[in-house]
Amino acid sequence: MSLLYDVRDDRFAQLTHSHARLDTLWTGGRWCEGPAYLAAGRYLVWSDIPNDRVMRWDEADGSVSVLEQPCLNHNGHTVDGAGRLISCEHGGRAVSRIDYDGTRHVLAGRFSGKQLNSPNDVVVKSDGTIWFSDPTYGIDSDYEGNVAVSEIGASNVYRINLDGTIDAVVTDMVQPNGLAFSVDERLLYVSDTGFTHQPDCKPKIRAYPISADGEMIGEGHDVAVSESGLFDGFRVDTNGNLWSSAADGVHCFSPSGELLGKILVPEVVANVCFFGPKRNRLAICATTSVYSIYVNARGL
Ligand code: MG
């Protein structure tokens, strides 16, 4: 085993560069999460949740600055098809979008008249619908948000439809967390970090089948179970491999869930995203730091 990789399958060598190195883009956070790449501006953003700030790394000169503080304890981020930043807010208990004039526009704050728990991670489908997870981490304590009792009484995955209505789409998880679509968008992958609240909840990524028009059409099934800590956020590459956060680094799985290998990281990893003009760099949010590494894969 090298210091950088833990190779479990020959295919992993094709997905990585043996001579690549793990760069430290920044350090000094408390719990870094929610990486997203704004291609038009060539910058990365991420959340430093307990410090209630959104950070920005500029690809042009490598500088890091505070994009927003306070920020309602952002967690997960993504970018929609029009290049706008979509944010999960623990403090706001909402999913919001930054519009072109810089204003915050709330996309979802309630479901069935009840306040959301604390949206955690978010993904946009090609049809423009926005899918997000809503576990309780942002209301469990004041550390990552504001302590409160769940009004909904459950932790679900929701879909924001094009008309602004919201549907619950995954309701059988303890604490749904990271989420991503398969390449053909016929599967929704969701990680469950419910082990934090229920010790018999296996740390896993499940896949839920979706119809061509975006409706849930069956039960979910386990794709991968973690052998090292929890799967929090993850991303899918153009060949359908999953690159997931875990306690000891980034675990790479084939589309069918075989563990191909790991990128070993010296801190607990919370989330990843592909970035750069070729989307072949992985940004790794890991506790106090953001690392990056070039891989031989491109993000979806
Ligand atoms: Mg998360």
Side-chain angles (χ1 to χ4, degrees):
M1 188 165 86
S2 77
L3 290 173
L4 183 57
Y5 300 121
D6 177 359
V7 179
R8 302 295 182 89
D9 186 294
D10 289 344
R11 283 171 286 179
F12 193 59
Q14 305 301 317
L15 293 168
T16 51
H17 299 293
S18 60
H19 54 278
R21 67 165 198 264
L22 192 67
D23 299 310
T24 303
L25 296 186
W26 181 76
T27 191
R30 293 192 187 276
W31 184 249
C32 295
E33 244 285 11
Y37 179 65
L38 285 292
R42 295 185 61 206
Y43 62 93
L44 270 175
V45 299
W46 66 90
S47 305
D48 178 9
I49 305 174
N51 285 321
D52 195 12
R53 57 184 177 172
V54 180
M55 306 299 294
R56 165 183 166 143
W57 174 88
D58 199 303
E59 194 172 1
D61 63 4
S63 63
V64 173
S65 54
V66 177
L67 183 67
E68 194 180 356
Q69 185 182 33
C71 67
L72 297 170
N73 298 98
H74 282 200
N75 187 336
H77 293 110
T78 194
V79 178
D80 74 7
R84 294 168 296 192
L85 184 65
I86 309 285
S87 307
C88 291
E89 303 173 352
H90 280 184
R93 300 177 69 174
V95 176
S96 66
R97 183 180 69 210
I98 302 298
D99 283 333
Y100 295 127
D101 63 359
T103 56
R104 167 181 175 264
H105 177 82
V106 172
L107 301 169
R110 292 183 168 268
F111 174 68
S112 281
K114 295 175 177 161
Q115 200 167 16
L116 296 172
N117 297 326
S118 51
N120 187 292
D121 215 340
V122 59
V123 64
V124 178
K125 196 165 174 286
S126 62
D127 63 6
T129 54
I130 298 168
W131 303 53
F132 66 95
S133 60
D134 186 44
T136 59
Y137 298 110
I139 56 172
D140 285 341
S141 76
D142 288 326
Y143 186 57
E144 294 194 12
N146 304 298
V147 70
V149 174
S150 172
E151 290 185 18
I152 293 172
S155 295
N156 300 321
V157 173
Y158 299 97
R159 179 186 61 220
I160 307 172
N161 302 307
L162 297 182
D163 63 3
T165 57
I166 296 167
D167 290 318
V169 289
V170 175
T171 58
D172 63 350
M173 282 193 162
V174 178
Q175 295 280 25
N177 201 315
L179 64 178
F181 291 104
S182 60
V183 175
D184 63 4
E185 296 188 329
R186 298 303 293 265
L187 291 172
L188 174 69
Y189 297 111
V190 187
S191 65
D192 192 342
T193 51
F195 179 80
T196 54
H197 289 64
Q198 204 171 289
D200 63 347
C201 179
K202 285 183 298 184
K204 58 190 173 288
I205 294 173
R206 288 172 65 76
Y208 295 83
I210 301 174
S211 69
D213 58 356
E215 294 301 325
M216 310 302 286
I217 50 171
E219 299 292 304
H221 65 274
D222 288 1
V223 172
V225 175
S226 178
E227 60 176 41
S228 174
L230 307 177
F231 294 140
D232 192 333
F234 59 93
R235 292 291 195 275
V236 173
D237 70 26
T238 54
N239 290 312
N241 302 300
L242 285 86
W243 300 74
S244 179
S245 59
D248 58 354
V250 179
H251 296 192
C252 179
F253 296 93
S254 71
S256 57
E258 301 150 286
L259 177 59
L260 303 179
K262 305 178 181 180
I263 300 166
L264 300 172
V265 177
E267 299 183 73
V268 172
V269 177
N271 211 334
V272 300
C273 82
F274 291 94
F275 73 105
K278 300 178 184 174
R279 302 188 78 81
N280 65 338
R281 290 180 85 176
L282 208 53
I284 302 169
C285 285
T287 311
T288 68
S289 307
V290 177
Y291 300 92
S292 80
I293 188 167
Y294 281 92
V295 294
N296 193 27
R298 288 187 172 203
L300 260 187

